[in-house]
Amino acid sequence: MSCLEVKNLSKIFGQDMALEQVSLHIDKNKAVGLLGANGAGKSTLIKCILGLVNPDSGSINTDEPPAYLAELAQLPASLSALDLLTYKCRSSNYPSSAAKDSLNEFGLPDKAQNKPIRTYSKGMRQRASLALTLCNHPRLILLDEPMSGLDALGRAETLATLKHRKKQGAAILMSSHIVSDMVQLCDRILIMAHGKICENITLVTHSLHEVKILEEKLKHWTESAQ
Amino acid sequence: MKKTLFLALLTLREIASQRIYQILAAILMFVPWLMLIPASLFMLDIGKVIIDLLFLCLHCWLLVYIFFIATPLLARDIEQSTCHIFLTLPMSRAQYFLARFAGITSGFLPLLLLFLISGSLAIAFASSAWQGYVGSNTDTSFIFGTLLILLPYIALTAVLFLITSSASGLPEITVFLFSVWILCWTIPPVLAALQNVEIQQSTSNIVMVIIQATNQLLPDLSSSEISLAMAHNHTIETVQVIGYCIHHLAYALLAMLIAILLFRRRDLS
Amino acid sequence: MTLRWTVIVPVAGILLALVVWGRSVSDIQLYAAHQEAPVWSDKQQLFYRAWAGALPGLAADLAVLNVFNIYAESQKTVPSSRNTWWNHLHYQLRVGQIMDPYFRDIYRLTEGLLAYEANKMQESVEILSKSEPFLNSSDPLLVASFIAHQELHNDELAFDLANRASQKPDAQPFTVGYASSLLKKSNGCRAAVQFLAGRMQTMPEKYQQGIRNRIKRLQANDECND
């Protein structure tokens, strides 16, 4: 059953073709990874799905509104993580207690949860962002560089959480530069260049060998893009 | 509706937890009392001078609030993609803008309350210290005038949203908003002076038309006559007050409507 | 929240109509219509109005503070070289009057300093006589009349001003009597001393010297000693 279906999506910024006839679908319990060089169109694709960027043509169908973790989004610095998550839970008719549960799940220390976000380290901010994205248990999750700023332990914990959410029925679309993380989580990898999907690779073994294959393909498409 | 209300409350909380807001609130508690010092230099109309100085404070803190609290908040939302957090709840862009507007506008209220209380107490003290030189209605005039002067700034806040709807970041928003404020500040009193026949005769028609047209497009900050009327305890006709309030609130809503229409079509990349 | 053009257009129309209506009825014009030809360049008046913006009253307050400063500075120079200061004094009083014609301190300083310290009688009469549309008090007109009679020896103007003063709501019997005495051209010296003594009582002590000197000069007059 498809949670997200994108058909023939195109977007032009001025003279630049950001997306050209992009199509993809993600089923329930599945994770799809987006790989590509900077400017390949990964973030634009995610923003089009979210409605942040208006596509010039094509269609996007989703079962329910997607949850989103932005690559460089800054959380409101004067609020605490708990304030922000409580707000999100209340807005999406979710019990407020889920806010604290989610922060604990992503390992944000108790004493930091009530402090202003401006006092957080980069890693803590990323944990708060992940907790914010996933606190209301969304069925469709779009992640743009979710591991940015996390230490090795944080990355492992986040991957475990995302795998768990996938098992619970969530569909995940993730964009990242860390191929090994994507291989651990994703069932399929889409390599993008020039606003197009150039490769659609189904992962079978999730092994180091597949990481190497993907890195070689990414290198090839990155060089061809230059 | 619930989402809009929650975001408005979150905005208010965000604003209230900023240090600059807390400092502003602290300053407003004692600044009206400091105004009594320069007012004591005057001879007959001490009450009027106190109101003039309090209105100066009012304009200053309203500007500080708009330029140093509201503008950076909105600019950060756009520049650093913080608005994505709210828009992907999901929440429509209209709801997001209205909620932010409601939150920012309601952020005026605690400061306003503090200012009114502190100002009224300072006037009460001045009335007892300088009997006969501070009119008995000075405190009422101060409260009434303060509420009226606030309205153009609500319209200016709506203009901030109008600018933000298509601006790229803080420098752009600040420059445009400052330009609008300068024009709003200077044009209405100049237009009032231009009603003088002799000045009209010495001013070219093109200049008059440009000034009039600009004035019609911008929010009217012409509270100068109201400031004078309140300072001298003059009465303003009810229909004028109603017209003044409706004019500014309608302008704010119209600006917000255009802002939402522009923001709705914008790519937030 | 879905915005439809069928809703937006009528709502925008109504709001626009309300803005136009609000502007037309709330056009509060307390004094602009009464403004006479400005003493200084009309362009400069526009400049003053522009920077004063929504706070013309404060501009008048600053003008008065400037007057205090000018007076203090003038006292540091010898009387013969104070003319430049007195020109500044006149200018500031005129600025103050144009910015806030209701401000009584302007008129009090005009009679106290501009007339009897700076000896600018003609200018004082001009400023004082312009208080008529704005103040309910007969004081400034009465003082202007007195100066016109006593210093300018223009009894026609003096009577006109006294007559206008006697029509003010707070006009005392003295005002009427004074106006009639002008008509008869009698008792000028004694009335002058009496009048000046009355004015001196309401003047702050530091500004009484000029009036005191004038009284002394009048009392030295033979007519007053009869």
Side-chain angles (χ1 to χ4, degrees):
Chain A
M1 186 185 161
S2 188
C3 280
L4 168 70
E5 187 154 11
V6 176
K7 279 186 185 165
N8 304 323
L9 204 65
S10 293
K11 176 69 187 176
I12 301 172
F13 288 120
Q15 303 281 316
D16 299 328
M17 194 77 173
L19 292 176
E20 190 178 348
Q21 298 290 316
V22 172
S23 298
L24 67 94
H25 74 277
I26 307 176
D27 295 335
K28 197 177 158 186
N29 297 103
K30 297 288 177 194
V32 173
L34 284 175
L35 268 179
N38 291 334
K42 305 184 299 288
S43 294
T44 306
L45 173 61
I46 291 177
K47 282 174 184 164
C48 282
I49 295 168
L50 289 161
L52 296 173
V53 171
N54 301 311
D56 294 327
S57 62
S59 66
I60 299 159
N61 291 311
T62 56
D63 279 355
E64 61 175 275
Y68 174 54
L69 174 75
E71 182 184 1
L72 297 168
Q74 293 284 329
L75 302 176
S78 58
L79 291 175
S80 70
L82 195 61
D83 284 340
L84 205 55
L85 266 79
T86 306
Y87 153 74
K88 183 167 179 182
C89 289
R90 289 171 71 190
S91 296
S92 45
N93 295 321
Y94 224 72
S96 299
S97 57
K100 193 149 184 65
D101 295 344
S102 186
L103 287 170
N104 290 336
E105 187 182 0
F106 283 91
L108 194 74
D110 257 358
K111 60 180 180 183
Q113 291 178 9
N114 280 309
K115 284 188 176 171
I117 291 170
R118 65 169 170 266
T119 61
Y120 291 7
S121 67
K122 196 179 173 191
M124 284 161 75
R125 284 177 198 220
Q126 190 66 4
R127 284 168 194 267
S129 295
L130 279 161
L132 179 70
T133 308
L134 302 176
C135 66
N136 57 345
H137 289 265
R139 313 294 292 174
L140 175 59
I141 304 166
L142 308 185
L143 304 166
D144 201 352
E145 298 292 345
M147 308 302 174
S148 170
L150 291 180
D151 54 20
L153 183 65
R155 276 168 54 195
E157 284 172 358
T158 305
L159 274 175
T161 307
L162 291 172
K163 279 180 190 171
H164 181 61
R165 292 294 172 93
K166 192 173 79 165
K167 266 187 196 165
Q168 286 179 326
I172 299 173
L173 177 66
M174 176 168 123
S175 146
S176 177
H177 288 103
I178 307 169
V179 181
S180 58
D181 288 345
M182 303 224 351
V183 169
Q184 284 186 60
L185 177 71
C186 298
D187 303 287
R188 268 190 306 139
I189 299 288
L190 307 175
I191 296 180
M192 290 189 75
H194 300 296
K196 288 187 227 172
I197 293 175
C198 311
E199 298 263 3
N200 186 346
I201 302 156
T202 304
L203 300 177
V204 182
T205 60
H206 302 275
S207 61
L208 199 60
H209 175 65
E210 282 183 333
V211 172
K212 282 185 180 165
I213 292 172
L214 281 172
E215 281 176 345
E216 275 174 25
K217 284 190 182 288
L218 180 62
K219 193 178 169 194
H220 164 74
W221 284 107
T222 305
E223 284 170 358
S224 76
Q226 285 166 354
Chain B
M1 189 65 195
K2 204 172 75 174
K3 281 180 186 169
T4 313
L5 181 67
F6 284 146
L7 182 55
L9 289 173
L10 188 83
T11 306
L12 186 58
R13 195 183 176 115
E14 196 180 344
I15 288 169
S17 58
Q18 284 183 30
R19 203 165 296 163
I20 183 172
Y21 187 84
Q22 292 157 2
I23 291 170
L24 195 58
I27 288 173
L28 286 179
M29 281 194 275
F30 66 85
V31 156
W33 293 87
L34 291 181
M35 294 298 120
L36 299 183
I37 299 169
S40 67
L41 296 171
F42 291 80
M43 297 185 300
L44 295 175
D45 281 338
I46 294 178
K48 170 258 180 213
V49 175
I50 292 172
I51 288 201
D52 285 340
L53 293 168
L54 288 176
F55 285 167
L56 170 70
C57 291
L58 176 65
H59 283 283
C60 288
W61 76 252
L62 286 168
L63 284 176
V64 166
Y65 182 85
I66 289 179
F67 279 96
F68 295 104
I69 295 175
T71 304
L73 182 96
L74 279 180
R76 183 215 55 201
D77 272 13
I78 300 296
E79 237 171 12
Q80 302 181 353
S81 309
T82 309
C83 63
H84 296 181
I85 294 170
F86 306 111
L87 292 171
T88 55
L89 272 174
M91 168 184 258
S92 73
R93 294 187 186 193
Q95 276 179 313
Y96 162 73
F97 249 33
L98 286 176
R100 279 299 203 200
F101 180 68
I104 287 173
T105 309
S106 52
F108 281 123
L109 300 179
L111 296 177
L112 188 73
L113 195 65
L114 274 175
F115 182 67
L116 286 176
I117 292 170
S118 182
S120 299
L121 289 174
I123 289 172
F125 172 79
S127 300
S128 61
W130 298 302
Q131 283 175 5
Y133 296 99
V134 180
S136 56
N137 293 329
T138 306
D139 50 353
T140 318
S141 298
F142 162 65
I143 293 170
F144 190 43
T146 301
L147 295 175
L148 290 179
I149 289 171
L150 175 71
L151 291 175
Y153 283 91
I154 292 177
L156 194 65
T157 308
V159 173
L160 166 65
F161 278 81
L162 185 59
I163 293 167
T164 306
S165 66
S166 36
S168 63
L170 185 61
E172 206 175 308
I173 296 172
T174 310
V175 166
F176 279 111
L177 189 68
F178 187 70
S179 311
V180 168
W181 175 74
I182 286 280
L183 289 171
C184 295
W185 181 265
T186 52
I187 287 180
V190 169
L191 275 175
L194 282 173
Q195 293 200 347
N196 179 306
V197 178
E198 289 187 26
I199 299 180
Q200 274 178 12
Q201 284 168 352
S202 66
T203 309
S204 75
N205 283 338
I206 294 172
V207 172
M208 293 276 283
V209 168
I210 290 171
I211 293 175
Q212 289 279 8
T214 314
N215 187 49
Q216 291 302 318
L217 284 175
L218 298 175
D220 191 353
L221 286 187
S222 62
S223 49
S224 57
E225 300 279 339
I226 286 173
S227 302
L228 274 187
M230 291 300 112
H232 293 286
N233 292 328
H234 291 149
T235 50
I236 303 175
E237 284 179 35
T238 313
V239 69
Q240 286 184 319
V241 175
I242 293 170
Y244 177 87
C245 296
I246 286 179
H247 157 216
H248 286 107
L249 294 176
Y251 187 95
L253 291 175
L254 191 62
M256 280 305 294
L257 185 67
I258 298 168
I260 287 168
L261 290 175
L262 291 173
F263 191 59
R264 207 167 57 147
R265 302 179 64 81
R266 178 179 177 174
D267 285 334
L268 293 165
S269 50
Chain C
M1 190 182 286
T2 316
L3 289 173
R4 291 188 200 89
W5 286 107
T6 49
V7 178
I8 292 168
V9 173
V11 168
I14 290 167
L15 289 174
L16 195 61
L18 285 173
V19 169
V20 173
W21 177 78
R23 279 197 183 201
S24 63
V25 300
S26 66
D27 192 19
I28 303 160
Q29 295 294 342
L30 288 175
Y31 66 88
H34 292 294
Q35 283 293 296
E36 294 170 26
V39 167
W40 75 80
S41 153
D42 47 13
K43 295 288 188 294
Q44 202 166 0
Q45 188 194 150
L46 292 181
F47 170 74
Y48 262 87
R49 285 197 181 285
W51 82 255
L55 291 168
L58 189 79
D61 300 345
L62 291 177
V64 166
L65 289 177
N66 280 340
V67 166
F68 293 152
N69 193 34
I70 288 165
Y71 178 75
E73 289 298 315
S74 70
Q75 297 308 299
K76 293 175 189 168
T77 58
V78 291
S80 58
S81 60
R82 288 178 188 167
N83 204 35
T84 315
W85 289 114
W86 300 146
N87 288 335
H88 285 307
L89 188 84
H90 172 232
Y91 179 79
Q92 289 299 332
L93 286 169
R94 195 70 188 98
V95 169
Q97 191 197 28
I98 288 206
M99 288 297 144
D100 184 357
Y102 299 95
F103 193 13
R104 288 181 295 163
D105 286 25
I106 295 285
Y107 303 106
R108 180 49 53 90
L109 289 168
T110 300
E111 63 174 281
L113 296 182
L114 190 65
Y116 293 112
E117 283 285 347
N119 282 312
K120 289 190 175 289
M121 302 300 176
Q122 186 68 47
E123 291 84 347
S124 301
V125 170
E126 270 179 36
I127 291 176
L128 292 168
S129 64
K130 281 176 183 169
S131 72
E132 193 179 1
F134 308 107
L135 297 189
N136 286 327
S137 169
S138 60
D139 276 12
L141 287 173
L142 195 56
V143 176
S145 166
F146 176 75
I147 295 169
H149 165 67
Q150 198 64 40
E151 308 294 340
L152 301 176
H153 307 294
N154 185 344
D155 283 348
E156 195 181 337
L157 175 62
F159 174 69
D160 178 47
L161 291 165
N163 191 30
R164 279 151 60 186
S166 66
Q167 288 164 21
K168 287 285 179 185
D170 72 333
Q172 302 286 315
F174 169 77
T175 312
V176 182
Y178 171 70
S180 65
S181 75
L182 277 174
L183 199 61
K184 290 178 185 173
K185 289 190 178 177
S186 62
N187 299 326
C189 181
R190 284 174 188 278
V193 172
Q194 199 181 355
F195 183 79
L196 284 171
R199 302 309 307 164
M200 200 166 68
Q201 281 172 4
T202 56
M203 185 65 71
E205 199 174 344
K206 64 187 286 197
Y207 299 125
Q208 288 178 359
Q209 194 54 44
I211 301 175
R212 198 171 284 127
N213 291 342
R214 179 66 194 156
I215 290 173
K216 279 181 190 165
R217 284 206 302 277
L218 281 171
Q219 281 173 338
N221 193 325
D222 287 345
E223 193 190 335
C224 280
N225 293 326
D226 283 345

